Amino acid sequence: MQEVRIRDEYIKLEQAMKLAGAVSMGSEAKMVIQAGEVLVNSEVELRRGKKLRDGDIFTYEDNDYRIVGA
Protein backbone atom coordinates (compact mmCIF):
# COMPACT_ATOMS: atom_id res chain seq x y z
CA MET A 1 0.00 0.00 0.00
CA GLN A 2 1.37 3.37 -1.01
CA GLU A 3 1.11 6.33 1.36
CA VAL A 4 -0.04 9.72 0.10
CA ARG A 5 1.14 12.42 2.49
CA ILE A 6 -0.90 15.60 2.77
CA ARG A 7 -0.25 18.84 4.65
CA ASP A 8 -3.84 19.98 5.02
CA GLU A 9 -6.86 18.53 6.79
CA TYR A 10 -8.11 16.90 3.58
CA ILE A 11 -7.41 16.44 -0.12
CA LYS A 12 -9.89 15.96 -2.93
CA LEU A 13 -9.92 12.53 -4.57
CA GLU A 14 -8.90 13.89 -7.97
CA GLN A 15 -5.92 15.72 -6.44
CA ALA A 16 -4.91 12.68 -4.38
CA MET A 17 -4.85 10.52 -7.49
CA LYS A 18 -2.54 12.98 -9.24
CA LEU A 19 -0.31 13.36 -6.16
CA ALA A 20 0.01 9.58 -5.83
CA GLY A 21 0.90 9.19 -9.50
CA ALA A 22 -2.12 6.96 -10.12
CA VAL A 23 -3.07 9.24 -13.04
CA SER A 24 -1.08 11.84 -14.94
CA MET A 25 -3.75 14.49 -15.49
CA GLY A 26 -6.90 15.72 -13.82
CA SER A 27 -8.93 14.90 -16.92
CA GLU A 28 -7.83 11.27 -16.66
CA ALA A 29 -8.84 11.19 -12.99
CA LYS A 30 -12.24 12.68 -13.86
CA MET A 31 -12.89 10.00 -16.49
CA VAL A 32 -11.96 7.00 -14.33
CA ILE A 33 -13.83 8.34 -11.28
CA GLN A 34 -17.01 8.99 -13.27
CA ALA A 35 -16.67 5.53 -14.86
CA GLY A 36 -16.85 3.96 -11.39
CA GLU A 37 -13.29 2.61 -11.50
CA VAL A 38 -12.18 4.15 -8.18
CA LEU A 39 -13.04 2.90 -4.70
CA VAL A 40 -12.83 4.96 -1.52
CA ASN A 41 -12.82 2.89 1.65
CA SER A 42 -13.98 -0.14 -0.40
CA GLU A 43 -16.98 1.64 -1.96
CA VAL A 44 -17.34 2.98 -5.50
CA GLU A 45 -16.92 6.77 -5.49
CA LEU A 46 -18.24 8.86 -8.38
CA ARG A 47 -17.41 12.34 -6.99
CA ARG A 48 -13.99 13.63 -7.96
CA GLY A 49 -14.29 16.31 -5.27
CA LYS A 50 -14.76 13.73 -2.49
CA LYS A 51 -12.71 14.89 0.50
CA LEU A 52 -10.19 12.33 1.73
CA ARG A 53 -8.79 12.63 5.23
CA ASP A 54 -6.09 10.91 7.27
CA GLY A 55 -6.64 7.15 7.18
CA ASP A 56 -8.87 7.06 4.10
CA ILE A 57 -7.89 4.57 1.41
CA PHE A 58 -8.60 4.84 -2.29
CA THR A 59 -8.12 2.01 -4.74
CA TYR A 60 -7.48 2.26 -8.47
CA GLU A 61 -6.32 -0.51 -10.81
CA ASP A 62 -5.82 -2.92 -7.88
CA ASN A 63 -3.47 -0.49 -6.12
CA ASP A 64 -4.29 0.87 -2.67
CA TYR A 65 -3.32 4.36 -1.54
CA ARG A 66 -3.61 5.47 2.11
CA ILE A 67 -3.97 9.14 2.97
CA VAL A 68 -1.56 10.19 5.70
CA GLY A 69 -2.34 13.55 7.28
CA ALA A 70 -0.08 16.16 8.75
Side-chain angles (χ1 to χ4, degrees):
M1 181 175 301
Q2 182 177 335
E3 291 186 348
V4 180
R5 296 199 173 273
I6 61 172
R7 292 176 282 169
D8 298 317
E9 179 183 342
Y10 67 86
I11 187 170
K12 293 181 180 179
L13 176 57
E14 177 181 47
Q15 295 169 334
M17 291 184 73
K18 289 190 296 186
L19 181 62
V23 296
S24 57
M25 298 184 303
S27 59
E28 183 182 355
K30 177 182 176 179
M31 288 189 318
V32 298
I33 293 167
Q34 290 179 340
E37 298 177 23
V38 180
L39 304 178
V40 173
N41 299 326
S42 301
E43 295 185 14
V44 173
E45 182 56 64
L46 301 175
R47 300 170 292 169
R48 66 181 200 217
K50 167 73 174 167
K51 294 178 182 177
L52 303 180
R53 292 178 164 76
D54 183 47
D56 284 337
I57 297 171
F58 73 89
T59 305
Y60 175 60
E61 293 186 333
D62 294 326
N63 295 307
D64 295 328
Y65 303 86
R66 178 185 302 275
I67 305 300
V68 179

